[in-house]
Amino acid sequence: PMTEVDDVLAGYPQPQQDTLRVVRERLRELLPDADEVIAYGVPAFKVDGVGIAGYSASKKHCSYLPMSGSVLGTIADSLDGYTWSKGALRFPVDQPLSQEMLALLVTTRQAEIAAGKK
């Protein structure tokens, strides 16, 4: 059955839609026990009710949302070539983030949560 996440994805233009479907599949592999939800209006993955990763599309780029204001700053050295702010990592509409980059983002967020920062 179609979920709310599927509905949101279906509403994005191409190539953003296909790019984010790849990101979603890679995040599913990294977070097999996560719940897929809509948080702050965008598709997201939560574990035990805590946001780990979100993603969205706009006209000129796609965004990865770490659900934390400090994840991207923590791994800033690994973000060469990307535009980012405290709350979003932007990437090209036709280039999904690599499994390696997603793993780094997810594990950085998980370490933060394990340290007691939600």
Side-chain angles (χ1 to χ4, degrees):
M2 287 282 281
T3 65
E4 208 178 352
V5 170
D6 292 314
D7 290 341
V8 170
L9 275 172
Y12 289 139
Q14 292 291 10
Q16 290 91 324
Q17 188 180 133
D18 286 345
T19 298
L20 291 179
R21 285 184 197 282
V22 172
V23 168
R24 180 188 190 187
E25 286 308 313
R26 290 175 178 169
L27 286 169
R28 276 183 173 163
E29 287 173 27
L30 291 164
L31 296 161
D33 301 325
D35 296 311
E36 286 194 73
V37 299
I38 299 297
Y40 307 105
V42 301
F45 285 79
K46 285 188 173 186
V47 175
D48 298 326
V50 180
I52 305 285
Y55 53 92
S56 67
S58 63
K59 202 166 174 177
K60 298 190 171 164
H61 59 262
C62 291
S63 296
Y64 176 92
L65 311 161
M67 302 284 154
S68 153
S70 49
V71 165
L72 297 175
T74 301
I75 60 166
D77 292 351
S78 304
L79 301 179
D80 284 352
Y82 291 101
T83 311
W84 58 280
S85 62
K86 202 167 77 163
L89 173 66
R90 288 177 280 289
F91 58 99
V93 295
D94 57 353
Q95 290 172 34
L97 292 171
S98 69
Q99 189 75 4
E100 295 74 20
M101 176 59 78
L102 288 166
L104 176 62
L105 289 158
V106 165
T107 55
T108 302
R109 176 69 176 131
Q110 288 171 320
E112 208 178 71
I113 292 164
K117 296 179 193 155
K118 297 205 164 56

